[in-house]
Amino acid sequence: MELQGIEHRTVTVNGIAMHVAIKGSSRSPTVLLLHGFPELWYSWRHQMAGLAALGYRAVAPDLRGFGDTDTPASASAYTSLSVVGDLVALLDAVAKGEEKVFVVGHDWGAVVAWHLSLFRPDRVKALVNLSVPFTPRNPAQKPLESLRAGYGEDYYICRFQEPGEMEAEFAQIGTRRVLEEFLTIRNPDQLFLPKGKAFGYPMDDLIILPSWLTEEDVDYYASKYEKTGFTGGFNYYRALDLNWELTAPWTGAQIRVPAKFIVGDLDLTYTSPGAKDYIHRGGLKKYVPLLEDVVVMEGVAHFIHEERPQEVTHHIHDFFGKF
């Protein structure tokens, strides 16, 4: 039922063809929904239905490198400057009458949403981000240096760096199995993927899907990732250091749009060292001075908008209703 009434378009933006799903009246205020890894526009299916019913127009693209959107080959094409450029062009195409739109991001989509708000606050009415807080640029150390020093080479982001390496390991495991592994993670510890050991236990162990994730949901994700592979998603991680170089002019800059942040207490982004102090003791507010609310949802892991869809939709509507 939630997928009924969704319009699918392909829009030329910033030199690529972008697939976008849209639900709601063109006269309603737009909410731009930005997915993460390893997800697609489809991860917002519940919010699209809920927000459209509440009088919004939900616009959920497959970001570059994902799903039915083009996948540029080079990792250098995946910096926040390029991805934000895609979104500005997308808004010009599908939200022509609106100077500013509402934005919601999760995981990498949250990173992109923070940067959209940083680079183009003139296009963002208000922001709700899930799972990943804004991380200010550290001028003294590149991101990968910091991650390797803090977590070692088996840390998942470090493992994603070598072109072709994780693609081969994931191919051996199988696309569907990889997606099930990621989407059902509930361990609040940091994620490590040692070479040859994949997710750390036998791959013939049965994965029981949680109630909020159906076989049909995994079928959809798998059908798209079997077609595209995981390289597009990996390229966001592979562009981390280049992104750090290109965003030097924004060192110390604040994000000046009204914002709300929501995270699950079992999310590995929330349980990582220093994250809780940064979020709750003024660090996040320092860089996002118009941050109005932080919500920590109990017993919820990383894929918060799929695990608690109605609650997340309510939080989004409750905040955007102020504007």
Side-chain angles (χ1 to χ4, degrees), residues 4 45 52 54-55 101 126 132 152 172 197-198 205 216 241 270 297 317:
Q4 290 181 359
R45 61 199 177 281
L54 289 166
V101 301
V132 179
Q172 198 169 17
K197 295 183 181 177
D205 281 8
E216 291 75 20
D241 278 356
Y270 186 63
M297 293 171 62
H317 173 57

Side-chain angles (χ1 to χ4, degrees), residues 80-293:
S80 290
L81 291 172
S82 293
V83 183
V84 168
D86 298 345
L87 298 177
V88 170
L90 176 65
L91 293 176
D92 288 344
V94 303
K96 292 178 182 176
E98 297 177 78
E99 182 182 346
K100 296 185 176 186
V101 301
F102 295 118
V103 179
V104 183
H106 171 256
D107 188 76
W108 262 108
V111 177
V112 172
W114 290 123
H115 281 105
L116 172 62
S117 302
L118 179 64
F119 301 155
R120 294 300 303 270
D122 59 309
R123 303 302 297 266
V124 180
K125 194 179 298 182
L127 170 67
V128 173
N129 260 343
L130 314 178
S131 295
V132 179
F134 177 68
T135 303
R137 181 181 183 275
N138 176 5
Q141 191 172 41
K142 291 184 176 183
L144 289 176
E145 281 178 33
S146 178
L147 291 171
R148 287 188 173 113
Y151 299 109
E153 290 292 344
D154 286 342
Y155 186 56
Y156 77 103
I157 294 176
C158 301
R159 287 298 324 280
F160 288 171
Q161 293 305 310
E162 184 61 35
E165 187 172 286
M166 286 307 296
E167 285 91 335
E169 287 195 32
F170 281 4
Q172 198 169 17
I173 296 167
T175 300
R176 185 185 182 87
R177 177 72 185 210
V178 168
L179 290 165
E180 289 176 343
E181 292 281 1
F182 274 115
L183 293 170
T184 59
I185 286 174
R186 296 193 69 76
N187 185 345
D189 293 337
Q190 294 307 294
L191 178 60
F192 296 92
L193 299 172
K195 283 188 180 182
K197 295 183 181 177
F199 291 88
Y201 52 85
M203 286 297 100
D204 54 0
D205 281 8
L206 183 65
I207 292 180
I208 305 297
L209 298 183
S211 60
W212 52 267
L213 186 68
T214 68
E215 294 287 349
E216 291 75 20
D217 295 334
V218 181
D219 286 344
Y220 184 84
Y221 286 124
S223 71
K224 298 302 179 182
Y225 277 92
E226 281 168 1
K227 185 183 75 171
T228 63
F230 291 95
T231 300
F234 292 156
N235 279 342
Y236 285 75
Y237 299 93
R238 291 170 183 165
L240 279 170
D241 278 356
L242 177 59
N243 203 64
W244 177 87
E245 293 173 18
L246 295 177
T247 55
W250 288 274
T251 300
Q254 293 178 317
I255 292 173
R256 293 194 165 274
V257 302
K260 179 175 185 173
F261 181 66
I262 309 172
V263 67
D265 67 349
L266 300 179
D267 195 325
L268 51 78
T269 63
Y270 186 63
T271 59
S272 64
K276 292 177 186 177
D277 280 351
Y278 172 71
I279 291 167
H280 295 294
R281 296 190 175 182
L284 182 57
K285 179 81 171 177
K286 176 183 175 182
Y287 290 98
V288 189
L290 302 182
L291 179 70
E292 295 189 16
D293 196 11

